[in-house]
Amino acid sequence: MTVFWQAFMKHYITFIFFLFSVVLVEGADRPNVLLITVDTFRPDRLSVYGNTRQTSPHLDSLSADGVLFEQAMSSSSWTTPGLMSVLSGLWAPTHGVDVRGKSLRPGTPTMATLLRQAGYAAPDILYLSSIPDFSNLGLTESYADRDKYLPNGDEVLFRALEAYQDSTFFLYYHYRNLHLPYKPSEAFEHLYLPEDFDQSDFVHNKVKIVQENVTIPLGSVSFHPSDREWILGLYDARVREMDETLFKPLIAKLKELGLYENTLIIVTADHGEELLEHGFIGHPSTSFKGSAYDELLHIPLIMSCPNLLPENRRVPQQVQNVDVLPTVLDLLGLPVPQTLHGRSLLPLIRGEVSDERPAFTETTPGGFQATPEMMKTRIRAMRTSFWKLIYTHGPGVEKYELYDLKKDPAERHNVVDDFPDVFSQMQKELHQWILRTQPHEIPVVVDTLNHVPTEAVQVLFPADGDTFRYEDVDKTVSVRWTGPADAFYTLEYNVGEGNYHLYGTMQILGNAPQYGPFTDEMWNMLALYNPWSFRIVVNGKPELSSPWVRFAILPTADAAPPSRWTMLLVFVSFWWGEAVLLVTGLGLGGLDLLRVVAGIPLLDMISATLMGAILIGILRDPLHRLGPERIKRWGLVVAWAGLIFATLSVMPIIWRILWAHTQGRIDLAGTLVTALGMAGMLVFLVMRCRRFLPFVGLLVLCGVYVYLLFYLSRSPAERFHLVEYGLLGFFTFRALRLDLPPGSAYFIAWGIAIVLGMGDEGIQWVLPNRVFEWKDVGINALSSGLGLVAVAILDLERP
């Protein structure tokens, strides 16, 4: 009975406390709301969440004055969708801001719009506001000194608190400095590095890459498990620096202004960060390869308000970031819209027993950096306290992963084949969620009929070739062009090179957008994306589009760009990493293909062998009269053509297996084989030829191949045709040359290759899920012709 009465009294006191809190909210001024989201924020690196290092004493004290949620999950593993779910209470598929360049549909309820309706001031102090992804948040009241203090980092938050201390306010601030590069300031840099840390040789180069780059593509650096200690040291130092420079003075400022007791402070994140749990570091926008593992989805969630919440409360149940908005509204006594996907966490805060709801997530492989091809792939997951199902679907990939989180919390062992009942049930629920959360299109009628440009648009600023210097342009990036100021335009952009290359479009109302002002750190990050190119497209009238304009952003004086040697190291290590992934994946894929072959019934294999033996016996005497050389050369033609045709029906299976094992790097295989072939030709010429003309011919041939490789970038499998039909033309020519002069052999060999190529594509009409394209017929013909050109350049005409 004692245990019963203790439990009863505990819940009774909690109930009385919240009843008193509700009376306070209704009878006095409503609490202010301060939402702080931290980019790339892992909870396990906070001491209050279990880190043995004292990385967060001030955040720890904040949580002690309120509620900490131990198992909060994000709806996405990259920034924009995750933040939109916090602000809108909707999952990523429904709010629709799931790839770069999208924004919330006008009229979508957000934390800002709902609190403004309740009388809250909602000034905009967000540096992200100028990015199209963060339009329509409802932060309509402009803080007068925003642009003055925004370049000074966190100062804009402290100044806004002073400016609105006599109002009932909602402030939203996003902190970015945990994001790559992991470069703590000098006072914190060595705080958690191993005492015997050796930065010599290659380790030093890896540290330099991690401390200088915003993006580090998967495989571009070969990390070893031993690297995890110094990586954690740098990341933890960033956490400690944030705790000392943001949360310590923030708590002090709130107390100084008399706001701490009556301000609902929410600290959470957009997503987590991988720190070698699955072999690499970063998240989709930095590594270009997304996942839905817990290190990317598990985020901190802390709420504090002494006048409203109990102190030192920990909630162990799984919750999600879509629950933040309904919880805030419920705590403030405001109505919670039925359209929200999240639920109020107030019952859990009170200590009530509540059924756990599964957490859902969706992401793209490349996040903000995603290419148009990556945007076609979705990684979705459903998570309970016991199981995680991950579903990856896109061009060339259809994959399920199931993890037993109690036995395998690190998500190492895919047990999808071991628990068919669990898999079947979770698969059903996940697909129901996918269907349930598809966005409902809201038509937006914009009256711009009287404001459409009638003349070609000209960019007024910047001029082509301009360089933006931080102080000279007031720490902002501004562009201006001719045309009505109240019309809609499309800004098409193509920026950066290599790992920092982005291209796409964004919709703009008006002809003079301004982005920024930026902190010097953000400005130097933008400088990594040089050169910047853009043009203005008039919606519906492409003939009025402006010419492309190109400009550069000069890094600030105290932040020199990466050295040429560092960039060279990044470039070489990137392609080395890509090659390693390709070769390793081909090896593993080969083993899988052997398993597929091994699955062929033994009787079928015996029958095929006997048929082959009988055919050889029948043809032996006629073939013997042809002579050994003809048999060898024509046999090679038949074997090669047979290989091309034999793989048609199974190529989708082969491609799918190799695509999965190489993590998409099989797309590079055709390019690699073609490049090696061209290199081999060059070596051949150097060794056997002393004339100038063949080298010129080879240079032209290389140019044609480079063009075709880029032209076929959206159909990487077709790059193999350059090799397949090039070799077919060569083999056929060599066979014909035994009996024909060179001219006739070239012509007939090309004709045979074209006919076989048409037959190859003609089969596409018969096979299921295949498409016939005249373009492919032309590629096959062109590829065989280029192979014959290579024969002529290399002087291989001799019989």
Side-chain angles (χ1 to χ4, degrees), residues 754-792:
I754 291 174
V755 170
L756 291 174
M758 293 185 67
D760 179 348
E761 294 304 319
I763 293 175
Q764 314 300 324
W765 272 324
V766 180
L767 293 175
N769 302 320
R770 304 298 292 274
V771 178
F772 172 84
E773 291 185 285
W774 283 107
K775 178 197 74 171
D776 292 341
V777 173
I779 290 173
N780 294 344
L782 180 60
S783 300
S784 55
L786 291 175
L788 293 172
V789 171
V791 169

Side-chain angles (χ1 to χ4, degrees), residues 162-460:
E162 294 172 348
Y164 288 88
Q165 60 180 306
D166 296 324
S167 306
T168 303
F169 61 77
F170 165 62
L171 287 177
Y172 172 42
Y173 186 69
H174 184 65
Y175 181 89
R176 187 192 174 277
N177 288 357
L178 290 191
H179 193 284
L180 275 168
Y182 305 151
K183 180 63 175 174
S185 63
E186 188 176 350
F188 297 90
E189 183 175 4
H190 300 281
L191 191 61
Y192 300 120
L193 289 178
E195 292 183 3
D196 56 348
F197 182 46
D198 179 12
Q199 289 197 47
S200 61
D201 301 327
F202 191 58
V203 173
H204 172 74
N205 294 328
K206 286 192 284 189
V207 173
K208 195 170 184 181
I209 290 171
V210 168
Q211 291 192 323
E212 292 183 355
N213 287 275
V214 176
T215 61
I216 304 178
L218 179 67
S220 62
V221 180
S222 297
F223 288 112
H224 187 272
S226 61
D227 293 322
R228 179 171 163 82
E229 193 171 356
W230 62 262
I231 290 172
L232 287 178
L234 292 175
Y235 185 89
D236 285 357
R238 277 288 219 182
V239 173
R240 182 60 183 270
E241 183 173 6
M242 174 186 67
D243 191 68
E244 290 289 337
T245 60
L246 172 62
F247 287 104
K248 179 182 178 179
L250 175 62
I251 294 171
K253 175 60 73 172
L254 288 168
K255 291 181 177 179
E256 174 193 329
L257 298 175
L259 299 173
Y260 184 76
E261 299 293 321
N262 200 41
T263 297
L264 174 58
I265 305 168
I266 305 134
V267 179
T268 188
D270 47 4
H271 55 79
E273 182 86 331
E274 181 185 345
L275 298 174
L276 292 191
E277 283 79 10
H278 286 86
F280 210 65
I281 63 171
H283 56 277
S285 297
T286 64
S287 64
F288 301 163
K289 292 294 177 183
S291 73
Y293 299 124
D294 273 8
E295 60 265 19
L296 292 180
L297 299 178
H298 189 195
I299 56 175
L301 178 55
I302 297 170
M303 295 183 180
S304 174
C305 182
N307 282 355
L308 188 62
L309 293 170
E311 64 179 23
N312 208 23
R313 176 64 56 83
R314 298 178 76 96
V315 176
Q317 290 92 337
Q318 175 176 274
V319 300
Q320 199 164 7
N321 58 358
V322 292
D323 300 328
V324 172
L325 176 54
T327 303
V328 170
L329 296 175
D330 201 9
L331 282 169
L332 300 179
L334 299 174
V336 179
Q338 295 298 312
T339 55
L340 302 188
H341 291 147
R343 62 170 176 172
S344 171
L345 302 177
L346 195 50
L348 293 178
I349 295 173
R350 292 176 179 145
E352 297 176 8
V353 177
S354 179
D355 293 336
E356 179 187 80
R357 295 204 312 175
F360 293 96
T361 186
E362 178 186 277
T363 193
T364 54
F368 191 83
Q369 305 282 139
T371 64
E373 288 301 307
M374 289 178 182
M375 291 180 185
K376 298 175 183 177
T377 298
R378 290 293 183 276
I379 303 168
R380 301 180 174 104
M382 172 185 173
R383 187 190 192 279
T384 70
S385 293
F386 299 95
W387 299 94
K388 164 88 76 69
L389 179 66
I390 302 174
Y391 172 47
T392 304
H393 173 71
V397 60
E398 183 90 12
K399 179 182 178 182
Y400 287 96
E401 302 167 66
L402 180 66
Y403 297 100
D404 183 341
L405 297 180
K406 291 302 179 184
K407 295 181 179 178
D408 179 28
E411 299 168 279
R412 303 284 189 187
H413 308 292
N414 182 4
V415 293
V416 70
D417 296 326
D418 300 332
F419 296 90
D421 293 341
V422 175
F423 167 64
S424 177
Q425 181 60 34
M426 294 189 72
Q427 181 190 38
K428 178 182 176 181
E429 292 186 40
L430 180 58
H431 282 277
Q432 287 175 345
W433 175 81
I434 294 170
L435 293 174
R436 191 170 68 248
T437 56
Q438 292 307 299
H440 304 291
E441 293 298 330
I442 302 175
V444 179
V445 179
V446 181
D447 182 14
T448 58
L449 296 178
N450 298 322
H451 310 285
V452 177
T454 57
E455 298 179 353
V457 172
Q458 297 296 321
V459 175
L460 301 175

